[in-house]
Amino acid sequence: MNNTNSKLESSSPSFSLKRKDFSILVAQAELFTCEVLCQLLKEQGYNVVGKAIEMEDTLQQIRVKQPQCVILESEISGRRSVDIVQQARSDNQRTKFILYTSKPDLKLVANAMQQGFYGFLYANDGLDELYKCFQTISSGGYYYSPGFLLLLKNYGMNVMTDEVKQQLNRLTEREIEILRLIAEGTPGHEIADRLYISYRTLANHKTNMAQKLNLGSCRNLARFGISVKDYL
C-alpha cells in the first residue's frame, strides 16, 4: 500500500480467526509495498501464500494456490482490478477479494461494489482495518473501512445493499448498458441507434429487464435506473 511508513503500522488485535489457516495472496502494484505488507502479515501469524505485482501473475497464483483472500490494489499493470475479478472468481469460487484503492475514482468504486469484492479499504486506512476486514469476510460478511465509507459519503453514495447487488447481477452487460442510458434520460430511439439495434430489439430487452428486476412494467425502469445509477 502507498504511504507505507505512516499507514502500515503493526497491530495485535485478538480475533478468533485462526490466522495460520487463513491463506492470503497480496497483489499490489509496487514491489516495495507488496513485500512490506507480506512481511507485516507474516509477523502477525497470517499464512501469506504469495505476492504479485503483475495482473497475469495474480491470476495464475489464484488458480494454482487458491487462496482464501486476495488483497488487490485498484490498478495493477495498468489494468483495473475490477475488470478481471469475475475471471478470477470463475476459476476459483472460494477466493474472496479485498479492494485497496488510493484513487477516488467513482466509476471504479461503483464497479467494485458490484463485481464481487468482500472488503473495501481506502488509502488512509491502517493495518488494524485490514485485520478487521479479514475477520469479517472470513465469517461471510462484507467489510467497509471508515476511510472507504468517507469516500462514499464524499461522492454522495451509499453502500450497495445485497438486494440491489442481486438485482443488477441478474442483468447482462448489454442490459446494464441499456439501463445506464435509460437512467441518463436517453430517448429510446437514440439508445437503439447508439447500440446498433432495432427499436423492437430494444423493447424486448426492456421487457426482459423489467421481468428480471420484478418491476411489473417497463415504465418503472427509469425510476429504478436512477436509484442505482451510481453503480451502472
Side-chain angles (χ1 to χ4, degrees), residues 10-24 40-49 68 127-128 131-132 134-135 138:
S10 181
S11 175
S12 300
S14 55
F15 287 151
S16 59
L17 175 67
K18 294 182 179 180
R19 301 181 184 184
K20 63 182 177 63
D21 297 328
F22 190 66
S23 57
I24 300 169
L40 288 172
L41 291 173
K42 288 178 181 178
E43 289 175 359
Q44 291 296 316
Y46 288 100
N47 178 22
V48 179
V49 297
Q68 290 169 285
L127 271 184
D128 55 339
Y131 297 145
K132 293 175 185 177
F134 289 156
Q135 178 71 7
S138 69

Side-chain angles (χ1 to χ4, degrees), residues 58-76:
T58 301
L59 288 169
Q60 178 64 17
Q61 291 196 53
I62 291 172
R63 285 190 288 265
V64 174
K65 300 178 179 179
Q66 298 190 7
Q68 290 169 285
C69 171
V70 178
I71 307 171
L72 191 59
E73 192 159 0
S74 56
E75 287 190 2
I76 297 179

Side-chain angles (χ1 to χ4, degrees), residues 60-129:
Q60 178 64 17
Q61 291 196 53
I62 291 172
R63 285 190 288 265
V64 174
K65 300 178 179 179
Q66 298 190 7
Q68 290 169 285
C69 171
V70 178
I71 307 171
L72 191 59
E73 192 159 0
S74 56
E75 287 190 2
I76 297 179
S77 307
R79 295 170 59 189
R80 289 164 31 121
S81 301
V82 294
D83 295 334
I84 58 89
V85 166
Q86 287 299 336
Q87 177 183 342
R89 286 176 62 82
S90 67
D91 293 335
N92 177 17
Q93 292 296 324
R94 139 179 164 159
T95 298
K96 295 182 177 179
F97 293 87
I98 296 174
L99 176 73
Y100 167 75
T101 180
S102 59
K103 297 184 177 182
D105 182 329
L106 174 60
K107 194 65 178 178
L108 182 147
V109 167
N111 285 343
M113 294 177 70
Q114 187 183 341
Q115 289 293 333
F117 285 88
Y118 279 75
F120 302 86
L121 302 172
Y122 191 50
N124 58 357
D125 293 314
L127 271 184
D128 55 339
E129 295 300 331

